[in-house]
Amino acid sequence: METILPILYLVASITFIVGLKMLGSPKTARQGNLIAAFGMVLAIAGTIFLYRGHSGEALHNVPFILAALVVGTGIGWMMAMKVKMTAMPQMVSFFNGMGGACAALISLMEYKATGGAPMGLGHGLATIAGLLIGSISFSGSIIAFGKLEERIKDIRFGGQQFINNAALLAALVIGGLIVAGQMSGFEIVVGLAVLSLIFGVLFVLPIGGADMPVVISLLNSFTGVAAACGGFLYGNMVMLIGGILVGSAGTLLTVVMCRAMNRSLLNVLIGNFQGSGATGAAAGATGTIREVSATDAAVLMAYAKQVVIVPGYGLAVAQAQHVCHQLEHELEAKGVTVKYAIHPVAGRMPGHMNVLLAEADVSYDKLVEMEEINPEFPNTDVVLVVGANDVVNPAAKTDPQSPIYGMPVLDVELSRQVIVMKRSMKAGYAGIDNDLFYRPNTSMLFGDAKTSLTSLVTEVKAL
Amino acid sequence: MDSSTLQIIYLVILMIFLGVELIGHVPSVLHTPLMSGANAIHGVVIIGSIIVMGEATDMLSMILGFLAVILGTLNVVGGFVVTNRMLEMFRKKQ
């Protein structure tokens, strides 16, 4: 009996490693996810029924544990099934926060169980680290969730960075004193949890909405580390392996995402404290803009050889992916070649656009990545930019003063005609003006992406 | 430092390298599902919550434990289901 559970844990650990590996390739990703899920079920079921404590006794409260599992499964399943594809990133953030809170609660209860007796260095360190990291991950993820839902605005105030650093330092010092046995008591540990929660909020509040994917990815790896602390606490290998694996893979993923935006992680995390607003507006983004009517835009596209659609977050918020597919369909019926140019960070997360367009049945081979589509722009008659802004800003190539200078962008301005669909002249997420809108071969089609696309479909059909 | 702690440190270091190795060359298209999948995997923290819940004796610990198991389950179930839904989108088209 005693050897079955460790073997189950071993199998589960292997499914996590293999699953994560398979998630890295489009062909095997889905099986990879299912394999890891299977391993998780094994580990959970094994723990409930086969776990034996130090004195060899089975777990108590099994009916309650099962009840909690049922409740959690019901809520989790419903939320995950009901969420719209556009809202995926914030859903991931929410579930990540739940994991963080779970880790923090474990530490809290573990501390309570010791009854204030000295814990020993390893045990104490794992408990306090799990509490700190789990709490930060929870409150940070919830703020990130709120930001992506557009319920929470970016908040910046004077001395914020100082307050953040002070809060973090205080939490670390108190945590250190508890581990060293200089401070003790359940109330103090609860206070530490509250302080960590506050730090999590302060830490994410000033970071701009466009950088949330990076923050979520970072908090994701935090939760991994918090889970690993729990693994150390119980000498539980599957928690340790799963947690560390996600912690390290998540950290690398965070760095890779930053690199795709040509920024450093540090710049993402504290960049917003420096140079607020003054940058970027400087260079050359002046002149007149030209508006185009849906009718004229439809004519331009219907008589083109090749049209490239550049989708951005505007398409996602307007839920316009289906209408977009319809437009593609109508244009192809007129003999136009239609392609989609996918910038690596278009939307709210890398790959977000691919998921959205795939949902609308856009064929996978029509989605062309940036490196492949860029040489094609000079031979493209019309580029239709749907709610994208920073990813088509030529300033990234020409203006060293621009905050996005150096970020790889789509060379849409090289095509014969650019039609930009936008709600207003408001700047993009980076908060900078876009010189593209003032170019002679650019015209603007103002309005909600879905409404504009719908009228384009009608106009193209009528031709 | 006893040998089991040392072994755990070895394991941690190996896992750090393995994690980096696994993610190294993933196309950016898959970053979102990958993050979501990793998110589900760290839901393994639920094991810890099951153990503390199973060893809880007083009322406060029971309540906290019950809550922890629910939150952990949300992380696991929500994480895997959301990832699966995202990946379903890719599968149809290939």
Side-chain angles (χ1 to χ4, degrees):
Chain A
M1 273 295 269
E2 285 98 55
T3 52
I4 299 178
L5 188 58
I7 291 172
L8 284 183
Y9 284 162
L10 180 65
V11 173
S13 304
I14 294 169
T15 65
F16 292 168
I17 296 169
V18 173
L20 206 54
K21 172 80 193 159
M22 289 171 78
L23 272 166
S25 149
K27 287 201 188 71
T28 55
R30 196 151 175 264
Q31 294 99 292
N33 185 50
L34 294 176
I35 287 173
F38 171 74
M40 188 70 79
V41 171
L42 276 188
I44 292 173
T47 308
I48 297 176
F49 298 109
L50 299 173
Y51 183 85
R52 296 291 176 270
H54 294 302
S55 46
E57 53 182 336
L59 290 176
H60 308 288
N61 310 325
V62 171
F64 290 108
I65 295 173
L66 292 176
L69 278 172
V70 170
V71 172
T73 306
I75 302 174
W77 190 282
M78 237 170 50
M79 291 180 82
M81 290 308 284
K82 272 174 68 181
V83 65
K84 289 201 185 80
M85 275 298 154
T86 41
M88 276 311 175
Q90 49 265 52
M91 198 78 264
V92 173
S93 182
F94 178 81
F95 289 135
N96 179 46
M98 296 302 108
C102 181
L105 284 177
I106 292 171
S107 288
L108 213 53
M109 293 170 66
E110 197 53 38
Y111 185 83
K112 192 170 170 294
T114 63
M119 292 185 286
L121 183 64
H123 198 84
L125 212 56
T127 309
I128 296 304
L131 183 73
L132 263 172
I133 301 169
S135 304
I136 293 172
S137 181
F138 169 65
S139 60
S141 296
I142 296 305
I143 298 295
F145 169 81
K147 283 200 170 198
L148 287 174
E149 285 276 285
E150 302 194 354
R151 288 191 202 157
I152 299 173
K153 296 222 159 53
D154 303 353
I155 297 172
R156 288 160 206 155
F157 51 84
Q160 197 168 7
Q161 201 175 356
F162 174 77
I163 294 174
N164 284 8
N165 291 343
L168 180 62
L169 192 69
L172 289 176
V173 168
I174 296 172
L177 287 174
I178 296 172
V179 174
Q182 301 294 314
M183 279 171 106
S184 65
F186 188 60
E187 293 77 16
I188 290 177
V189 175
V190 171
L192 178 62
V194 172
L195 185 60
S196 311
L197 288 173
I198 294 171
F199 174 72
V201 172
L202 291 174
F203 164 65
V204 181
L205 265 185
I207 302 173
D211 291 328
M212 276 309 119
V214 176
V215 173
I216 295 172
S217 179
L218 185 70
L219 293 174
N220 191 28
S221 60
F222 276 19
T223 311
V225 175
C229 288
F232 185 79
L233 216 49
Y234 300 115
N236 186 306
M237 286 304 154
V238 72
M239 282 175 81
L240 198 67
I241 289 177
I244 294 291
L245 210 53
V246 174
S248 104
T251 306
L252 183 71
L253 192 60
T254 312
V255 173
V256 169
M257 283 165 75
C258 289
R259 216 180 287 148
M261 297 192 288
N262 197 37
R263 295 172 64 187
S264 69
L265 181 57
L266 197 68
N267 182 262
V268 170
L269 296 183
I270 64 164
N272 279 309
F273 290 113
Q274 291 128 16
S276 51
T279 43
T286 48
T288 48
I289 53 155
R290 296 191 306 137
E291 264 196 76
V292 67
S293 69
T295 320
D296 291 344
V299 173
L300 276 172
M301 288 195 288
Y303 292 101
K305 262 210 208 90
Q306 170 157 300
V307 171
V308 174
I309 300 175
V310 180
Y313 190 66
L315 176 111
V317 276
Q319 295 280 332
Q321 65 271 34
H322 295 278
V323 201
C324 197
H325 178 54
Q326 230 177 317
L327 178 67
E328 169 210 323
H329 191 74
E330 290 302 330
L331 286 172
E332 291 201 317
K334 302 253 180 238
V336 184
T337 310
V338 182
K339 288 177 182 170
Y340 292 85
I342 309 292
H343 189 276
V345 294
R348 280 293 190 272
M349 268 192 188
H352 192 193
M353 280 301 135
N354 304 64
V355 174
L356 279 184
L357 292 169
E359 190 206 9
D361 278 330
V362 173
S363 149
Y364 193 77
D365 52 10
K366 285 209 169 65
L367 309 180
V368 190
E369 298 217 8
M370 183 175 60
E371 294 80 25
E372 286 170 60
I373 197 88
N374 266 344
E376 285 197 36
F377 281 117
N379 300 317
T380 300
D381 303 293
V382 181
V383 170
L384 182 67
V385 180
V386 189
N389 190 344
D390 297 326
V391 297
V392 292
N393 193 341
K397 288 174 288 188
T398 55
D399 178 10
Q401 301 297 307
S402 174
I404 59 166
Y405 181 70
M407 177 171 106
V409 288
L410 294 159
D411 302 328
V412 292
E413 74 280 1
L414 300 179
S415 64
R416 286 181 202 111
Q417 180 72 43
V418 183
I419 299 170
V420 180
M421 265 184 198
K422 242 179 144 318
R423 273 188 292 192
S424 64
M425 278 306 285
K426 229 176 76 186
Y429 248 113
I432 49 174
D433 212 342
N434 195 337
D435 169 46
L436 176 75
F437 304 156
Y438 305 96
R439 299 265 172 135
N441 60 339
T442 303
S443 6
M444 311 293 292
L445 182 56
F446 288 116
D448 171 72
K450 197 171 183 177
T451 322
S452 299
L453 282 170
T454 312
S455 48
L456 277 181
V457 171
T458 323
E459 294 291 345
V460 172
K461 248 189 202 163
L463 283 171
Chain B
M1 196 183 293
D2 57 67
S3 72
S4 77
T5 309
L6 203 62
Q7 273 172 13
I8 285 178
I9 293 171
Y10 274 108
L11 187 71
V12 166
I13 292 170
L14 284 173
M15 281 303 132
I16 291 173
F17 279 96
L18 183 60
V20 168
E21 206 51 45
L22 285 177
I23 305 297
H25 311 280
V26 176
S28 65
V29 179
L30 279 173
H31 283 173
T32 302
L34 188 66
M35 192 202 295
S36 180
N39 177 36
I41 289 174
H42 70 49
V44 71
V45 69
I46 190 183
I47 304 281
S49 70
I50 291 173
I51 296 174
V52 276
M53 174 76 187
E55 289 176 342
T57 45
D58 62 308
M59 201 56 189
L60 180 60
S61 296
M62 290 277 283
I63 294 169
L64 289 179
F66 192 72
L67 198 62
V69 176
I70 291 179
L71 296 178
T73 319
L74 272 176
N75 187 177
V76 171
V77 176
F80 282 118
V81 174
V82 158
T83 312
N84 192 51
R85 274 191 64 197
M86 277 191 228
L87 293 170
E88 250 171 8
M89 301 293 153
F90 289 97
R91 191 193 52 153
K92 263 192 295 186
K93 250 48 63 182
Q94 281 181 346

